[in-house]
Amino acid sequence: MVKICCIGAGYVGGPTMAVIAFKCPSIEVVVVDISVSRIAAWNSDQLPIYEPGLDDVVKQCRGKNLFFSTNIEQHVSEADIIFVSVNTPTKTRGLGAGKAADLTYWESAARMIADVSKSDKIVVEKSTVPVKTAEAIEKILTHNSRGVKYQILSNPEFLAEGTAIQDLFKPDRVLIGGRETPEGRKAVQALKDVYAHWVPEDRIITTNLWSAELSKLAANAFLAQRISSVNAISALCEATGANVSEVAYAVGKDSRVGPRFLNASVGFGGSCFQKDILNLVYICECNGLPEVANYWRQVIKINDYQKNRFVNRVVASMFNTVSGKKIAVLGFAFKKDTGDTRETPAIDVCKGLLGDNAKISIYDPQVTEEQIQRDLAMNKFDWDHPAHLQPMSPTAVKQVSMTWDAYEATKGAHGVCILTEWDEFKELDYQRIYDNMQKPAFIFDGRNVVDPEKLRAIGFIVYSIGKPLDSWLKDMPAVA
Ligand code: NAI
């Protein structure tokens, strides 16, 4: 029986290993982590992450060929294939601070593998890492090998949170990079054999190590760039009276462009896009390519601009101040169908509104008050460390409250900001919301989920990203 061990039981390690176990009953899969509470949650009825379909997959395999454990060294030493799916945060100090990936957790995992291994291993990079990380890991392992042979593979993960199980069941592609030596090719084949249990062969791409590592960064940069492109156009739509949904539809009808990922919004979030682009920028700079670095940096600048623009719209339209006013925030997760709040635009929007002294009342169907308080109190990039190593939020942000009900959150509010595209926000009784709000009542739709005309008919003043402006907003300067 092939034994797989995955180091890191997070958003990537948990679901990917659960699906491997589900699709390969003949393989034993153990997911290990230094976080005791995370492993306890994986072994309980309340999994540590929310992902549609995940519960079912875990329940069917857990205890049979899928295990979660904190006994890292034992399972690493017994495994044939070791996936490493640990955090790769952005460095906050020292060389490359604010851009480069911090490989502390990766390096410590590699040193531990070298310490405990007694048989040959295939070590698979699942985390997103800078180009040439495999080479560095290889050096750590071979210099400490005591006769054990290692093959390093790069197998970046392309799942999207919210649709992770679906993506893992039917991936667009699985990418495996390896050394172009007989041993390297054998290791690639061993990993291919795992995926071949359910992924058609023509969807399994093999490349050299560096191409695989760079493909992941490039793929995320392209995706984020599409969002920044449509968001840049949304600003121009508002200035000219064009409608970004119509423009995006017309553009996306071109089969060379395609319709997906063209929704204008308050900005992209999530743990990967910003981090991976910063990493790409840093690699370009290190390789003497400042023009290329600046090109990609602009994708992040437009994203920041879009979040600022949104806050400015809110404040400008409410008589240039939200001080002491109740603003309801519907949705805090970085997108629907996940409870993940890492780099969610809601953090910057809330901080912007708090900067103008607003009182904020938040409702999100999947995010807890504790998480929101942590997010608002944490320094940039601190979220990307194992939970028990994150600095604890010193004091709660008092002007922020949280409820589990959208009507309660909006009661008595002056304005409502929709920041996540949860389906349920389309179905709310907006007449009821309007009746219970201060007047004039404002809605700022950062995800284009509501029909502005219907809400205007109720009496709301509506701002929808990239849509023709309400006459109320036309003369309000909102760009900082
Ligand atoms: P995460 O923070 O949810 O999970 C990482 C886990 O690794 C944590 O539970 C942490 O306690 C554990 N860990 C850290 N150091 C360890 C060590 N030395 N030994 C054992 N466990 C250790 O992170 P997530 O989202 O799963 O991301 C992991 C990697 O995958 C990152 O490089 C990320 O950029 C990449 N990635 C993330 C995607 C996503 O959608 N979240 C998609 C594709 C790639």
Side-chain angles (χ1 to χ4, degrees), residues 181-200:
T181 57
E183 299 78 22
R185 278 192 275 274
K186 210 171 136 201
V188 169
Q189 189 57 46
L191 188 54
K192 248 181 125 172
D193 290 345
V194 173
Y195 284 107
H197 279 82
W198 79 98
V199 180

Side-chain angles (χ1 to χ4, degrees), residues 52-66:
L54 177 65
D55 270 36
D56 266 4
V57 174
V58 170
K59 275 186 192 136
Q60 290 199 46
C61 319
R62 199 171 51 192
K64 292 184 189 141
N65 66 330
L66 174 66

Side-chain angles (χ1 to χ4, degrees), residues 431-450:
Q431 181 69 55
R432 178 176 162 198
I433 289 177
Y434 178 81
D435 291 344
N436 288 319
M437 283 176 67
Q438 307 277 346
K439 308 296 176 320
F442 297 83
I443 286 209
F444 304 92
D445 184 0
R447 297 284 179 172
N448 284 338
V449 295
V450 295

